[in-house]
């Protein structure tokens, strides 16, 4: 009995004793972590690696596009021309340009003129607020005859993008109408509902055609040219041509003007490539190749009429210093020696930026 108990005790102790370690540490299999824990550690590592891989691919792709764009613009100058004109951007959308009354212009008539064959431009004519009641329900012939009334006329040349129905433009028409002006504005060929392909030459010719159309109906009433932003380039092109043929307007008003399109493109806030090696060759030369100059600083040397320049100090699109530089060129030009040249800045605190100078309560006094 004793032997049997001893035998059982010995067998129990053998079973409880740890197995000896072999030279290859065969027990490492028994110490390995469970399979699901191992997979759980690999999963976040794999997810992290996959996210970094996708991010790296995106960065490489964006870098490739960034480098490719200058070469694409150089090979296709028409792209740069599109970016200058932005005529494909129609803001506000879904408005009927045939119905200016929908924009609150109840004393405005919509016309269509044809400067050249295969070119048709849409025109708005807003009469002075004093004629508002008489204008209700009248046709185009009445509005044309109204240009001969004893009120001055402003031909407004808008900037790039949008249409003649742009919000800030409509608000300016209302202000000028309230001050007793006829306001005639239009969309250049390729803008809005106007038919044709945009170009600097074409835009200038459209403006000349509308000016002559106004003069044929306005008699001896004063006619002023008002250009805004890119429209200042059209305005100085037009007025230079008018002065050369000895039919200058009564005054030229430039709102937020630049010196020339190359300096404006170099200073524009969207010029993310301005520090790119060869920026002029890649981006500015294609503009010139496309026949786009809008050389305000050169044109003002040949203009002989009164000049008023309006510019906000906080203009984020056309830097204030370009408007000031243009004024300095005009003020020292011999062509203006018999005419008044005035520069009116608007302080940053007013918040007029690029297109809200019409809000200035001083504007009536300035125009007078």
């Amino acid at each position: 009995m004793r032997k049997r108990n001893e035998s059982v005790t010995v067998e129990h102790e053998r079973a409880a004793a740890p197995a000896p370690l072999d030279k290859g540490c065969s027990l490492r299999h028994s110490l390995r972590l469970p399979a699901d824990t191992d997979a759980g550690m690999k999963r976040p590592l794999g997810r992290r690696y996959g996210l970094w891989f996708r991010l790296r691919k995106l960065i490489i792709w964006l870098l490739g596009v960034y480098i490719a764009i200058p070469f694409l613009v150089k090979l296709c100058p028409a792209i740069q021309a599109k970016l200058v004109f932005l005529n494909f951007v129609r803001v506000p959308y879904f408005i009927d340009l045939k119905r200016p009354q929908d924009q609150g212009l109840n004393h405005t008539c919509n016309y269509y003129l044809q400067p050249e064959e295969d070119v048709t431009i849409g025109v708005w004519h807003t009469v002075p607020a004093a004629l508002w009641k008489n204008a209700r329900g009248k046709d185009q012939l009445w509005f044309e005859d109204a240009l001969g009334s004893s009120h001055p006329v402003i031909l407004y040349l808008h900037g790039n993008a949008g249409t003649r129905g742009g919000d800030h433009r409509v608000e300016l028409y209302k202000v000028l109408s309230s001050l007793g002006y006829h306001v005639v504005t239009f969309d250049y060929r390729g803008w809005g509902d106007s038919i044709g392909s945009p170009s600097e030459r074409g835009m200038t010719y459209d403006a000349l055609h509308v000016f002559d159309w106004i003069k044929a109906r306005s008699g001896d009433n004063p006619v002023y040219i008002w250009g805004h932003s890119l429209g200042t380039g059209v305005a100085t092109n037009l007025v230079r041509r008018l002065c050369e043929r000895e039919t200058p307007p009564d005054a030229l008003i430039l709102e937020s003007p630049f010196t020339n399109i190359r300096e404006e493109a170099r200073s524009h806030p969207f010029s993310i490539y301005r520090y790119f090696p060869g920026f002029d060759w890649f981006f500015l030369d294609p503009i010139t190749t496309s026949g786009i100059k809008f050389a305000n600083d050169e044109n003002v040397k040949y203009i002989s009429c009164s000049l008023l320049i309006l510019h906000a100090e906080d203009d984020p699109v056309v830097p204030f210093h370009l408007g000031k530089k243009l004024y300095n060129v005009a003020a020292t030009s011999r062509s203006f020696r018999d005419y008044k040249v005035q520069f009116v800045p608007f302080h940053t605190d007013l918040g007029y930026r690029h297109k809200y100078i019409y809000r200035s309560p001083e504007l009536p006094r300035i125009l007078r």
Side-chain angles (χ1 to χ4, degrees):
M1 188 72 180
R2 187 180 299 143
K3 288 182 179 179
R4 185 178 176 183
N5 291 337
E6 288 176 356
S7 171
V8 172
T9 303
V10 170
E11 288 177 1
H12 177 73
E13 289 175 353
R14 283 179 185 168
L21 294 174
D22 59 9
K23 292 181 180 179
C25 296
S26 58
L27 280 180
R28 66 181 180 274
H29 297 290
S30 63
L31 297 176
R32 183 176 296 168
L33 292 171
D36 56 344
T37 306
D38 191 33
M41 290 183 65
K42 286 182 177 179
R43 197 174 297 120
L45 288 173
R47 191 181 300 120
R48 203 174 301 131
Y49 177 77
L51 181 62
W52 165 243
F53 180 73
R54 288 194 295 270
L55 182 60
R56 188 172 62 178
K57 280 184 64 176
L58 178 62
I59 292 172
I60 293 173
W61 184 82
L62 291 174
L63 184 61
V65 171
Y66 179 79
I67 295 174
I69 285 177
F71 292 94
L72 186 62
V73 170
K74 185 64 179 179
L75 292 173
C76 304
I79 295 176
Q80 191 70 323
K82 283 285 188 183
L83 294 176
V84 171
F85 296 138
L86 290 178
N87 60 302
F88 56 89
V89 178
R90 180 168 174 167
V91 180
Y93 296 97
F94 312 120
I95 71 168
D96 186 353
L97 293 171
K98 296 182 178 66
R99 293 179 52 82
Q101 59 267 31
D102 292 347
Q103 309 307 308
L105 296 171
N106 296 321
H107 50 314
T108 298
C109 187
N110 180 68
Y111 309 145
Y112 289 97
L113 302 178
Q114 191 169 14
E116 293 180 309
E117 188 177 356
D118 300 326
V119 175
T120 303
I121 57 175
V123 182
W124 279 0
H125 171 199
T126 302
V127 297
L131 301 178
W132 179 80
K133 290 184 178 179
N134 295 333
R136 286 185 296 181
K138 297 300 193 301
D139 59 9
Q140 178 176 336
L141 184 60
W142 182 91
F143 275 82
E144 290 186 31
D145 290 341
L147 285 170
S149 62
S150 57
H151 296 274
V153 184
I154 289 180
L155 171 58
Y156 178 78
L157 305 172
H158 68 67
N160 65 354
T163 68
R164 62 190 183 276
D167 293 339
H168 65 282
R169 294 163 186 164
V170 169
E171 293 305 316
L172 178 63
Y173 311 154
K174 292 177 180 178
V175 169
L176 296 177
S177 172
S178 70
L179 297 177
Y181 296 97
H182 289 275
V183 182
V184 178
T185 187
F186 66 95
D187 280 320
Y188 317 106
R189 59 186 72 186
W191 272 260
D193 57 354
S194 296
I195 299 171
S197 299
S199 67
E200 181 175 354
R201 186 208 69 82
M203 295 164 72
T204 303
Y205 190 81
D206 293 345
L208 178 62
H209 181 81
V210 176
F211 177 84
D212 287 341
W213 180 87
I214 291 170
K215 289 296 291 182
R217 291 157 177 78
S218 61
D220 295 329
N221 294 331
V223 178
Y224 308 116
I225 310 293
W226 184 313
H228 173 244
S229 193
L230 188 67
T232 64
V234 182
T236 61
N237 282 347
L238 169 62
V239 176
R240 175 178 176 175
R241 189 164 177 175
L242 293 175
C243 291
E244 287 173 347
R245 75 177 193 184
E246 299 183 353
T247 57
D250 291 272
L252 171 62
I253 303 163
L254 302 179
E255 179 188 358
S256 306
F258 49 85
T259 48
N260 57 70
I261 198 63
R262 289 178 70 99
E263 288 196 358
E264 162 57 12
R266 187 181 291 112
S267 304
H268 198 280
F270 295 144
S271 296
I272 59 175
Y273 288 93
R274 70 184 73 180
Y275 303 113
F276 192 91
F279 174 77
D280 284 21
W281 188 77
F282 278 112
F283 291 95
L284 301 186
D285 290 350
I287 296 177
T288 306
T289 302
S290 300
I292 304 172
K293 297 179 180 178
F294 292 115
N296 290 335
D297 51 354
E298 186 65 23
N299 287 337
V300 293
K301 298 176 183 177
Y302 300 91
I303 289 175
S304 51
C305 68
S306 296
L307 173 64
L308 171 64
I309 297 178
L310 311 172
H311 213 136
E313 293 178 353
D314 59 339
D315 191 329
V317 178
V318 180
F320 178 78
H321 71 86
L322 290 185
K324 187 68 174 177
K325 183 176 180 180
L326 180 64
Y327 166 73
N328 291 333
V329 173
T332 57
S333 173
R334 294 179 59 188
S335 65
F336 284 104
R337 62 178 177 266
D338 296 326
Y339 299 94
K340 185 176 183 179
V341 179
Q342 187 175 3
F343 182 84
V344 180
F346 295 87
H347 196 270
T348 302
D349 293 344
L350 297 172
Y352 294 155
R353 298 172 67 78
H354 183 61
K355 53 188 182 182
Y356 301 113
I357 287 177
Y358 72 84
R359 295 176 177 174
S360 173
E362 293 296 311
L363 194 58
R365 180 190 61 78
I366 292 169
L367 293 179
R368 279 196 297 271

